[in-house]
């Protein structure tokens, strides 16, 4: 029988409730019981590292933070970055120019920094679109919106791009097909129906989880991973116990060994109690 030594959880649509997003006391209790048994907790999110960290502020829980779809890692909330992976400059510039030409809103994530190019710069999306705790202490996130700032961040290194469309539009599928024909490979995924997320080839939640397990001396067969969206597939596919949320996409449900309740009904807590 598999002995669970690590639990890796997505945030949005998984550990967090529907808006206003938070971790319920029931789920905190289940996670604390797991931690008390020596099980390592991991948050694996597409969010910025400190935005993901902030959800643990009032819970008393400790966890490794895998952020930006596996491109960035902290060994504990608000800790130093222990691993980061960037596009090379020529790839980042190519993607930036392509995304600019789409006319859609997009963003570049650069460790703790975020550059946002809004479809309508005179009416930019609120910061809440990009993260819940970006302006809360002790988050170290810096937000940039001026084109002149983009070149600085491109030079420094981009972990992830995200392209967003507005409700009623249907352009992402055709744009993603174009991306598959780019002169260099990359990870193309999504965390919601209205976005496409781009990371360096081979950079995903699953690869980051393998790296972490190697450092901790834990077999991936002793890992439970819980998720709901396409960007969670890589970690579900490599772990011993892949769990899909009740609100998961069909792609995620197909690879799961266990389907728990939705994020509205403490699905993470129910999965933990079913196995631990």
């Amino acid at each position: 029988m598999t002995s669970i030594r690590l639990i890796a959880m997505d945030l949005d649509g998984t550990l967090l409730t529907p808006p206003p997003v938070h971790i319920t006391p029931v789920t905190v209790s289940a996670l604390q019981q797991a931690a008390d048994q020596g099980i390592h907790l991991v948050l694996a999110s597409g969010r910025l590292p400190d935005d993901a960290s902030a959800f643990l502020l009032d819970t008393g829980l400790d966890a490794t933070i895998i952020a930006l779809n596996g491109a960035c890692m902290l060994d504990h909330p608000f800790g130093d970055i222990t691993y980061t992976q960037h596009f090379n400059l020529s790839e980042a510039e190519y993607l930036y120019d392509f995304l600019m030409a789409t006319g859609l809103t997009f963003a570049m994530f650069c460790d703790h920094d975020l550059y946002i190019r809004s479809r309508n710069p005179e009416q930019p999306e609120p910061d809440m679109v990009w993260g819940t705790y970006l302006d809360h202490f002790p988050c170290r996130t810096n937000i940039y919106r001026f084109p002149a700032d983009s070149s600085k961040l491109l030079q420094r290194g981009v972990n992830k791009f995200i392209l967003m469309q507005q409700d009623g539009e249907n352009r992402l599928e055709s744009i993603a097909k174009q991306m598959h024909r780019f002169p260099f490979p990359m990870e193309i995924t999504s965390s919601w129906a209205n976005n496409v997320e781009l990371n360096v080839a081979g950079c995903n939640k699953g690869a980051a989880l393998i790296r972490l397990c190697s450092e901790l001396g834990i077999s991936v067969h002793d890992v439970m991973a819980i998720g709901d969206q396409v960007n969670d597939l890589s970690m579900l596919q490599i772990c011993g116990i892949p769990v899909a949320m009740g609100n998961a996409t069909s792609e995620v449900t197909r690879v799961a060994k266990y389907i728990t309740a939705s994020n509205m009904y403490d699905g993470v807590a129910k999965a933990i109690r079913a196995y631990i």
Side-chain angles (χ1 to χ4, degrees):
M1 181 177 178
T2 299
S3 174
I4 297 173
R5 298 182 60 195
L6 184 150
I7 303 173
M9 300 154 284
D10 172 50
L11 277 177
D12 293 281
T14 300
L15 189 60
L16 304 180
T17 65
V21 293
H22 67 284
I23 307 173
T24 70
V26 170
T27 298
V28 171
S29 176
L31 290 170
Q32 186 61 64
Q33 290 177 52
D36 290 343
Q37 294 183 42
I39 295 171
H40 195 95
L41 303 181
V42 178
L43 303 188
S45 175
R47 287 177 179 252
L48 286 149
D50 283 3
D51 191 42
S53 297
F55 287 99
L56 297 181
L57 271 178
D58 300 322
T59 67
L61 297 169
D62 193 17
T64 298
I65 307 296
I66 293 175
L68 302 175
N69 287 340
C72 184
M73 191 182 300
L74 313 177
D75 59 6
H76 63 273
F78 302 107
D80 294 334
I81 293 175
T82 59
Y83 172 77
T84 187
Q85 190 168 7
H86 302 134
F87 285 98
N88 66 45
L89 180 58
S90 62
E91 291 173 348
E93 290 177 335
Y94 187 102
L95 289 171
Y96 176 85
D97 291 340
F98 175 84
L99 296 176
M100 282 288 290
T102 68
L104 297 177
T105 294
F106 73 92
M108 300 191 305
F109 296 79
C110 312
D111 294 331
H112 291 303
D113 295 328
L114 172 64
Y115 170 76
I116 305 165
R117 176 62 178 175
S118 294
R119 181 174 189 163
N120 182 356
E122 295 182 0
Q123 293 182 322
E125 295 78 7
D127 291 349
M128 280 287 291
V129 170
W130 307 100
T132 305
Y133 292 105
L134 299 187
D135 59 352
H136 286 51
F137 179 82
C139 285
R140 294 161 288 187
T141 304
N142 302 301
I143 300 176
Y144 302 91
R145 295 184 184 272
F146 295 103
D149 295 316
S150 64
S151 60
K152 302 174 188 175
L153 298 184
L154 286 165
Q155 291 285 336
R156 205 163 71 219
V158 180
N159 306 95
K160 184 182 85 164
F161 289 89
I162 184 169
L163 179 67
M164 296 181 63
Q165 67 181 11
Q166 295 177 334
D167 292 341
E169 292 183 321
N170 188 26
R171 296 182 56 196
L172 291 184
E173 184 176 353
S174 62
I175 290 173
K177 287 180 180 178
Q178 294 179 62
M179 292 174 176
H180 283 289
R181 298 193 294 269
F182 280 2
F184 53 90
M186 58 189 167
E187 296 285 327
I188 304 174
T189 185
S190 67
S191 59
W192 211 250
N194 70 338
N195 74 33
V196 170
E197 303 193 7
L198 309 174
N199 286 89
V200 177
C203 176
N204 53 56
K205 294 183 182 184
L209 193 54
I210 290 171
R211 181 187 183 93
L212 176 63
C213 286
S214 177
E215 293 173 355
L216 297 174
I218 294 174
S219 168
V220 292
H221 297 293
D222 297 331
V223 171
M224 172 191 281
I226 313 174
D228 72 305
Q229 285 288 337
V230 175
N231 66 336
D232 300 318
L233 283 172
S234 60
M235 67 175 181
L236 296 177
Q237 290 166 335
I238 58 94
C239 74
I241 301 180
V243 178
M245 297 296 292
N247 51 288
T249 65
S250 58
E251 298 100 317
V252 171
T253 301
R254 280 197 294 269
V255 304
K257 289 184 179 177
Y258 179 76
I259 300 174
T260 186
S262 77
N263 62 328
M264 187 179 293
Y265 298 107
D266 294 304
V268 169
K270 287 180 170 66
I272 291 171
R273 287 173 177 160
Y275 277 91
I276 300 173

